Amino acid sequence: MIKLGKVQQLNKGDFIYFQDGRSEFITFLITGILGFHQAGNGNSGVYVNIIYPGIILNETQFFMGGNSPLDINTSCECRVLTLSFKKAQNLIASSLEFNQMLNQSMAKKQRALSRLFHLSSERPPQKKVYKALEVLSDLNQDDVLPINILSLASLLNMSRNTVGSALKTLISNGIIDKAHPGYRIAEKDLTS
């Protein structure tokens, strides 16, 4: 697959996809973190930085067609592998494993979005923030979740103060740890 694609080093702030823009390539994030936001949502300066290494982008447009639903750009220096739709189509024809990888990627993101959507009904802020961190930990290969209060608040549609207070409570109760550049889940069960 690497021989068919193009590995690129991207700088912080580089755009990979533009909302409503057409693109003809799949992106595999190798290193770094990507962020997204919907253009014109009133939070144009707030990116939710939750696209971690190992996450594949634009496979839905590859299978289903259509434009990018979000602006996606780099949060730091990143390395990505891009694969044109034409080369991806050829690879799918010869590799069941590649097809399974793309389908698993879509299913993993669908499950995460569904779990995040259901958090809107969660009331206690500590529980809501903890469950969001659990969802993100399923998307992240590393032990530390590189997310800040602003991104987490934007993702959960909560105030920064409420998220910050919830994080402080979770840290003081030993449920999560502060770890550069974000947080680490210390316990897998939130009992309160």
Side-chain angles (χ1 to χ4, degrees), residues 93-127:
S94 64
S95 172
L96 178 60
E97 292 84 9
F98 180 70
N99 191 10
Q100 288 173 327
M101 180 179 67
L102 293 181
N103 285 306
Q104 286 174 348
S105 172
M106 287 191 306
K108 189 175 188 178
K109 287 188 284 189
Q110 179 62 38
R111 181 177 58 202
L113 289 173
S114 175
R115 289 173 65 197
L116 288 171
F117 175 76
H118 289 303
L119 287 180
S120 63
S121 63
E122 194 66 59
R123 292 295 168 231
Q126 292 86 4
K127 199 167 189 176

Side-chain angles (χ1 to χ4, degrees), residues 5 9 11 13-14 21 23 38 61-62 87 105-106 108 111 113 119 129-130 138 144 155 166 171-173 183:
Q9 188 72 29
N11 295 316
D14 286 349
S23 63
Q38 289 183 305
Q61 286 73 23
F62 169 70
K87 289 183 180 175
S105 172
M106 287 191 306
K108 189 175 188 178
R111 181 177 58 202
L113 289 173
L119 287 180
V129 168
Y130 175 80
D138 288 343
V144 176
L155 180 67
I171 291 168
S172 68
N173 290 338
Y183 303 91

Side-chain angles (χ1 to χ4, degrees), residues 115-116 119 122 124-138 145 152 156 158 162-163 166-167 169-171 173-177 183-192:
R115 289 173 65 197
L116 288 171
L119 287 180
E122 194 66 59
Q126 292 86 4
K127 199 167 189 176
K128 189 172 187 173
V129 168
Y130 175 80
K131 285 186 175 188
L133 292 174
E134 269 190 327
V135 171
L136 297 178
S137 71
D138 288 343
L145 294 168
L152 196 53
L156 295 172
M158 296 170 67
T162 303
V163 170
L167 288 168
T169 301
L170 291 168
I171 291 168
N173 290 338
I175 296 168
I176 65 170
D177 298 319
Y183 303 91
R184 176 185 300 115
I185 295 176
E187 295 183 13
K188 282 295 182 188
D189 255 338
L190 181 64
T191 57
S192 57

Side-chain angles (χ1 to χ4, degrees), residues 11-15 73-76:
N11 295 316
K12 180 179 180 178
D14 286 349
F15 279 84
N73 76 326
T74 58
S75 300
C76 57

Side-chain angles (χ1 to χ4, degrees), residues 15-177:
F15 279 84
I16 296 177
Y17 299 108
F18 291 98
Q19 183 174 340
D20 296 326
R22 193 122 180 105
S23 63
E24 297 290 324
F25 61 93
I26 295 172
T27 301
F28 302 83
L29 181 59
I30 301 168
T31 63
I33 301 169
L34 302 176
F36 67 86
H37 79 90
Q38 289 183 305
N41 72 351
N43 293 325
S44 60
V46 178
Y47 281 83
V48 181
N49 301 324
I50 61 168
I51 303 171
Y52 306 121
I55 293 180
I56 302 170
L57 300 170
N58 216 29
E59 72 276 30
T60 302
Q61 286 73 23
F62 169 70
F63 283 117
M64 308 290 294
N67 297 335
S68 177
L70 304 164
D71 283 344
I72 298 179
N73 76 326
T74 58
S75 300
C76 57
E77 285 189 8
C78 295
R79 194 165 26 151
V80 297
L81 170 69
T82 57
L83 185 66
S84 72
F85 283 178
K86 183 176 181 177
K87 289 183 180 175
Q89 190 64 47
N90 292 338
L91 192 54
I92 279 194
S94 64
S95 172
L96 178 60
E97 292 84 9
F98 180 70
N99 191 10
Q100 288 173 327
M101 180 179 67
L102 293 181
N103 285 306
Q104 286 174 348
S105 172
M106 287 191 306
K108 189 175 188 178
K109 287 188 284 189
Q110 179 62 38
R111 181 177 58 202
L113 289 173
S114 175
R115 289 173 65 197
L116 288 171
F117 175 76
H118 289 303
L119 287 180
S120 63
S121 63
E122 194 66 59
R123 292 295 168 231
Q126 292 86 4
K127 199 167 189 176
K128 189 172 187 173
V129 168
Y130 175 80
K131 285 186 175 188
L133 292 174
E134 269 190 327
V135 171
L136 297 178
S137 71
D138 288 343
L139 296 175
N140 189 14
Q141 298 172 346
D142 293 332
D143 192 29
V144 176
L145 294 168
I147 191 164
N148 59 37
I149 291 172
L150 185 59
S151 289
L152 196 53
S154 180
L155 180 67
L156 295 172
N157 198 26
M158 296 170 67
S159 75
R160 287 179 287 178
N161 290 341
T162 303
V163 170
S165 177
L167 288 168
K168 282 181 186 177
T169 301
L170 291 168
I171 291 168
S172 68
N173 290 338
I175 296 168
I176 65 170
D177 298 319

